[in-house]
Amino acid sequence: MQASEAQMTEMIVAMQSQCQYFRAATESNPKDDVSYANWGSMLMHLSMVSEDQTTKKKYLKEAIERLERAISLNPNSKTHEGELAYFNLGNAMYFNFFLEKDDATAESHLTKAKEKFAVAMAKEPGNPMHTQMIEQLQTAHEQRRAAHEQLARLEGKTDEEKKVEILNLQRQMLESVVDSHRKAVESNPTNAANKIELSKACFELAMLCGRNDAKKLFGEAISSVEAALQQSPLDTSAPWLHAILTQAQSYAETDKTKSRELMAKAKSEFDSVLRKEIDVTKREQLNKEKDIFNTSMQNWKEWQDAEAKADAMEKANKKSPAAAGKGALESGNEEIGGFVVLVGVVAAVGVAAWFLTRKR
C-alpha cells in the first residue's frame, strides 16, 4: 500500500528529527540529563519500528549509550514524560535479549536488564509498568524462544504471508497484556495508574482488530481512563489519552454524524490540553505526536474500509464457503503492509505506544 509506506517513512523521519533536536540540546548543554534520557528513549523506539536487523541493533546500541549517559549525570534522570532512564535502559537491554541469536550473549543482556529494572523498581515501587515488567521477566526465556520459533516459521514464506503471521502474533501478545492489566485492575480497583495502563493496552490491541472489536476496546479504554480521572483528577496524562481515544472512536464509527461529533469533541479535548501546557517545547512535541497519531488512525481506517469492501465483493460474487471463510487478518492483507509497521512492532519489552506513554 503506497500511502502506508509513505506514512511510515514520514513517522520515522519525525522520530529522527526528534533525535536531532535532543542531540542539539545535549551539545548546547552537555550536562542536560533529561535530553539524554529523551534521546535514548527515542532511539529505542526507532529500533523497535525498524525492519532491518542491522539498523535495529545500531539504534539500540546508541539508545543504551545515551541512557547510560543520562544516568551518569543524574541517577534519578527521567524523560520529559516522567519515565525513569533506568527503566528505559532495562527495556533496551531486554530488547537486546530478544534480538540476540547467541544464547550466552542473550543471557548477559537479560542479566543486565534485570539489574536495571530492579533499580527502577526500588526508585518507584508503585509504578505499574515496573511491576508488570518484573512479572514478565519470569517467563523471559519462554518468550524469547517463542519469538525465535516464530521467526523460523516465517522463513520461506512470502512477504504477504509474513505480514499476516506477524500481525497475528502481535495481536496474541497484546491480548495477553490486556488480560494482565484487567486482572491488575480487578485486584486493586483503587489504583488509577492500573486503569491508565489498561486503557493504553486496549487502544494498542484495538489497532490490530477489525472495526467491531476495535469499537468495543475503544469503549473499554475510555471507561477505564474516565474511572482513573475520577480517582485521580490531577493526573496530567489522562486528559491527553482521553482525547486520543475519543478521536479513535470517531474513526471507528460508521455513522457519519456520530463520527463528526466525536471528532469535534476530541479536537476540543486536544485543544484544552495544549492550552494548559505552558512549556513551548512540550507543546510542539504534543502537536507532532498528534499528527503521527492521526496518520496511524487514518491508515487504520483505510484498512477497515478495504476489509469492508472485500467482504461486500465476496458476498456479491457469492463465493464458496471455503473462499469466504478468510478471517479479517487474512483477506486483503496486501493492504496492511505499511499499517503493520506503522502501529509499532509490539515486542515483549512491554513498552506502550510511544505517543501514549506520557506522565507529565
Side-chain angles (χ1 to χ4, degrees):
M1 186 174 181
Q2 294 301 316
S4 299
E5 294 299 331
Q7 290 165 347
M8 178 59 195
T9 300
E10 186 177 313
M11 183 184 74
I12 290 178
V13 168
M15 295 171 78
Q16 290 171 334
S17 175
Q18 286 290 293
C19 286
Q20 292 173 359
Y21 171 83
F22 296 133
R23 178 194 292 275
T26 59
E27 289 175 350
S28 175
N29 180 7
K31 294 185 178 181
D32 183 356
D33 67 280
V34 175
S35 288
Y36 273 112
N38 287 332
W39 191 2
S41 177
M42 189 61 66
L43 284 165
M44 180 175 65
H45 286 99
L46 269 171
S47 175
M48 292 177 68
V49 300
S50 298
E51 292 186 88
D52 178 68
Q53 291 298 305
T54 301
T55 304
K56 277 182 179 294
K57 291 182 178 180
K58 172 183 174 292
Y59 280 134
L60 203 54
K61 180 178 180 293
E62 293 175 358
I64 290 172
E65 291 173 351
R66 304 307 183 274
L67 290 166
E68 287 178 335
R69 177 59 176 161
I71 291 169
S72 71
L73 291 168
N74 176 9
N76 295 314
S77 182
K78 294 183 178 182
T79 67
H80 71 276
E81 296 164 346
E83 294 173 342
L84 278 170
Y86 261 112
F87 180 69
N88 281 338
L89 182 57
N91 271 322
M93 291 174 170
Y94 195 38
F95 194 20
N96 246 344
F97 166 71
F98 277 87
L99 288 179
E100 181 56 55
K101 293 183 178 180
D102 180 76
D103 290 342
T105 305
E107 192 63 30
S108 69
H109 291 318
L110 179 61
T111 299
K112 291 177 183 177
K114 288 180 177 179
E115 292 172 356
K116 307 310 176 187
F117 286 136
V119 174
M121 185 61 121
K123 289 179 179 294
E124 293 184 353
N127 191 311
M129 289 184 70
H130 298 181
T131 303
Q132 181 189 355
M133 183 53 67
I134 296 298
E135 292 174 354
Q136 262 194 358
L137 290 174
Q138 297 175 8
T139 57
H141 293 95
E142 290 84 349
Q143 291 178 33
R144 177 173 174 270
R145 189 181 306 112
H148 282 261
E149 288 175 354
Q150 179 69 20
L151 288 174
R153 286 196 293 271
L154 294 179
E155 291 297 327
K157 294 195 174 185
T158 66
D159 288 343
E160 300 307 327
E161 289 173 334
K162 288 179 181 179
K163 290 168 187 174
V164 174
E165 287 277 353
I166 291 172
L167 194 59
N168 278 316
L169 178 62
Q170 290 177 334
R171 189 164 74 167
Q172 290 168 12
M173 292 172 68
L174 275 174
E175 285 172 348
S176 176
V177 172
V178 168
D179 185 58
S180 175
H181 284 307
R182 284 171 178 159
K183 290 177 180 176
V185 170
E186 289 174 3
S187 64
N188 190 356
T190 61
N191 189 319
N194 285 342
K195 292 183 173 68
I196 293 293
E197 294 307 316
L198 173 60
S199 297
K200 295 176 184 177
C202 283
F203 169 82
E204 292 186 4
L205 177 57
M207 293 290 282
L208 298 181
C209 293
R211 181 174 270 118
N212 290 335
D213 288 339
K215 287 175 71 173
K216 294 176 183 177
L217 286 163
F218 288 147
E220 180 180 357
I222 284 183
S223 296
S224 187
V225 77
E226 287 176 348
L229 273 169
Q230 289 181 349
Q231 292 178 319
S232 183
L234 299 180
D235 187 325
T236 55
S237 68
W240 185 258
L241 177 57
H242 194 280
I244 282 175
L245 292 168
T246 301
Q247 187 147 330
Q249 277 193 319
S250 75
Y251 281 103
E253 181 57 63
T254 53
D255 184 299
K256 291 184 178 180
T257 300
K258 290 182 180 179
S259 178
R260 285 194 294 268
E261 291 174 352
L262 287 167
M263 187 70 77
K265 182 181 178 183
K267 182 180 183 305
S268 176
E269 292 178 6
F270 278 128
D271 290 345
S272 176
V273 174
L274 291 168
R275 280 196 302 271
K276 293 175 182 177
E277 181 55 76
I278 59 175
D279 188 306
V280 176
T281 300
K282 288 184 179 179
R283 193 159 59 243
E284 289 176 354
Q285 290 171 342
L286 286 173
N287 274 313
K288 288 180 181 178
E289 291 175 10
K290 183 159 70 78
D291 289 343
I292 291 173
F293 163 70
N294 284 333
T295 296
S296 59
M297 285 308 306
Q298 287 165 5
N299 206 41
W300 180 85
K301 185 177 183 299
E302 289 175 11
W303 173 37
Q304 299 304 316
D305 291 344
E307 290 296 318
K309 183 178 180 181
D311 288 344
M313 289 178 66
E314 282 185 347
K315 292 177 181 178
N317 292 334
K318 296 181 179 180
K319 289 188 175 181
S320 66
K326 291 184 177 181
L329 297 180
E330 296 177 321
S331 60
N333 59 49
E334 69 280 355
E335 296 293 327
I336 63 176
F339 172 78
V340 173
V341 183
L342 188 63
V343 297
V345 178
V346 186
V349 293
V351 182
W354 69 278
F355 50 82
L356 285 182
T357 52
R358 79 186 38 268
K359 297 180 176 65
R360 292 183 300 282

